[in-house]
Structures are given as structure tokens and as C-alpha cells.
Amino acid sequence: MSYLQFHHFHFPQLQRDRTIRVLLPKDYFTAPDRRYPVLYMLDGQNLFQPETAFGRRDWKIPGTLHKQPLRRQAIIVGIDNGGHDRIHEYAPFRRGKNGGQGDLFVRALLETLKPFIDHAYRTLPGRETTGIAGSSLGGLLAFYAGVRYGDVFGKAAVFSPSLWFNPAVVQLAEQNPVWKSKMYVAASKTEMRNMENTLQNVYWSFKKGGYDDAQIRVVARDQGKHNEVFWGREFKKMYEWMYEN
């Protein structure tokens, strides 16, 4: 049986179809009584295979996951982006003629995809074992989901987020949300102008919102490009921190 499985999936909230890619833990077929945390990841076509990845460079997540010890194994659910719909679905708020469907997209994950995954696979469905991750505009949405829907997503991994597109998303972290997710935010100082200042603002927004340092990690790498190679390297560091227990 394959560790990477595919589903043709329909989101009625969006009236759109999408490919869903599910990467299973290395002991999934040999430990039939075990259940696993789930990490939902955006831009799914870039995660597992170079043939479908942007620029034919994927995150190399299968190799990273299967090298992790058994105690850190999780199910990774990659949701393909919608091409020209991506900018609309990944931005919670409108910016000019773009964006504004982000909240609807997250609710589609919660109302339609998560119940399917929890039924089809041996998951641990609670908030502490459910995460979301994304990069660039996907990082913007993962940040939003981790702060706005912390009652479901107990973990959020945010890589090189395009927070400039919807700056109001950062302010949500300052509003002392009742449910505070474990948040990992990482980018390179060299990938775009003002990224270092953006990360500093993110950190202090978390602190204003009542997060403690055990719940957050905001990382400014000295070098790295805004691409899948950098995000794939950072994924390993995030994963080992996020799933350390």
C-alpha cells in the first residue's frame, strides 16, 4: 500500500474541486491500533513530489517525515491550491479586487475536509493534535487560522507569510484569543524587504495578546529565498519543535 494517497475532493462551500494528498506515517500499516496527529498543509502540490511542485522543487516532506522517530509521526494532509483562485482563498480580507475568501476556505476545511479525514484515517481529532501550515499567502492563511480558529487548530506553522497583503491578520493575535495555539513563524531576513521588522512585530503582537514564550517561536533566519527549498528545510526544524512531545 502507498504511503501517499490521493483524493478528488469537492468543497461545497466554495463550489470547487481540489486534489487532496495524504502522506501517512511510516508505521501506519504496521501499527493498526495507533492513531496520529494531523497537520493540514496548503499548496499541497508543492509538498511531496517534484513533478507537481512549483519550479519542480518540492518540500521533500516524505523524506523528512519518515526520518522522524515513531513518537513524532503524524498524518500530513496537503490541499492543492486553486490556481487563479489561490489569492482569493488564502487571503481572509479583500485587498482591491483580490482576496476575501480566506475565512470561507478555512471553514470548508473544518466543516468538510476534517470530518472526511477523521473518518477515513486513524486520526487524533482533538485541537492539541490538529495543525495547519502554509507558506507565503498560505502562511498568511495559516496564521489567520491559528489565531482565529485556535479552538480547532492547536498548532500553526507559518513560513514566509505574506502579511503585507492583509496586515490586519497580525492584529488578531493582539486581541487575547481565548484559545492560544502553538505558533511557529519563520522567514529569512533576505527574502523580502522589511521581513525582519515584520517578524519582530509578529512576536510583540503575540506578547500583547497574552501568548507565553512556550507557545510561540518566531524565527528570522540570516539567509534564505522565498521558495520551496527554504521552506522544506525550515519544515524539519518546525516539525521537531512542534511535535517534540
Side-chain angles (χ1 to χ4, degrees):
M1 298 182 72
S2 174
Y3 287 102
L4 185 59
Q5 302 188 353
F6 300 83
H7 301 275
H8 184 68
F9 203 80
H10 179 69
F11 288 108
Q13 297 88 343
L14 301 163
Q15 286 300 303
R16 293 171 191 150
D17 295 343
R18 207 57 50 86
T19 297
I20 306 298
R21 305 163 192 263
V22 180
L23 180 66
L24 298 174
K26 62 183 178 182
D27 65 339
Y28 190 86
F29 299 114
T30 58
D33 295 326
R34 185 177 179 189
R35 293 184 173 271
Y36 302 86
V38 182
L39 181 62
Y40 293 88
M41 296 191 67
L42 306 169
D43 293 313
Q45 59 263 67
N46 296 332
L47 305 176
F48 308 126
Q49 299 170 302
E51 295 83 3
T52 59
F54 180 78
R56 302 185 72 81
R57 295 183 297 183
D58 68 303
W59 290 40
K60 302 187 184 304
I61 288 179
T64 299
L65 180 68
H66 287 189
K67 289 177 183 176
Q68 295 296 318
L70 292 179
R71 70 179 187 277
R72 288 202 195 114
Q73 293 296 303
I75 296 171
I76 310 294
V77 179
I79 306 107
D80 279 18
N81 69 54
H84 66 274
D85 291 316
R86 180 178 184 269
I87 193 169
H88 305 301
E89 293 177 350
Y90 286 5
F93 310 121
R94 288 187 62 85
R95 183 183 176 94
K97 296 181 179 180
N98 297 313
Q101 298 176 17
D103 190 77
L104 182 64
F105 185 85
V106 174
R107 286 192 283 117
L109 300 185
L110 299 183
E111 295 167 5
T112 305
L113 180 59
K114 187 177 186 300
F116 169 77
I117 294 296
D118 289 337
H119 175 75
Y121 296 95
R122 300 195 312 274
T123 70
L124 293 169
R127 73 172 295 271
E128 296 293 338
T129 50
T130 302
I132 188 168
S135 62
S136 195
L137 278 171
L140 171 69
L141 189 64
F143 190 104
Y144 174 81
V147 174
R148 175 67 177 80
Y149 291 95
D151 58 325
V152 179
F153 296 113
K155 307 175 190 294
V158 179
F159 304 102
S160 305
S162 298
L163 295 171
W164 58 270
F165 195 83
N166 281 168
V169 168
V170 180
Q171 297 171 10
L172 295 176
E174 300 178 11
Q175 296 175 9
N176 194 23
V178 174
W179 297 96
K180 293 180 173 62
S181 301
K182 195 171 184 180
M183 304 286 295
Y184 186 101
V185 184
S188 164
K189 300 174 186 177
T190 61
E191 64 180 280
M192 69 174 61
R193 189 175 62 183
N194 295 327
M195 182 59 84
E196 186 173 9
N197 289 336
T198 295
L199 293 175
Q200 290 175 354
N201 291 338
V202 165
Y203 175 79
W204 289 112
S205 292
F206 283 137
K207 299 301 289 183
K208 289 177 185 177
Y211 291 77
D212 63 49
D213 284 333
Q215 295 171 302
I216 57 175
R217 179 161 292 186
V218 181
V219 181
R221 300 295 180 195
D222 288 331
Q223 292 192 10
K225 295 183 179 180
H226 193 84
N227 63 23
E228 283 69 25
V229 174
F230 174 65
W231 300 326
R233 290 198 304 264
E234 199 59 40
F235 176 87
K236 180 177 183 294
K237 299 178 178 68
M238 175 281 297
Y239 192 89
E240 292 175 352
W241 176 75
M242 197 77 82
Y243 295 89
E244 59 187 348
N245 296 326

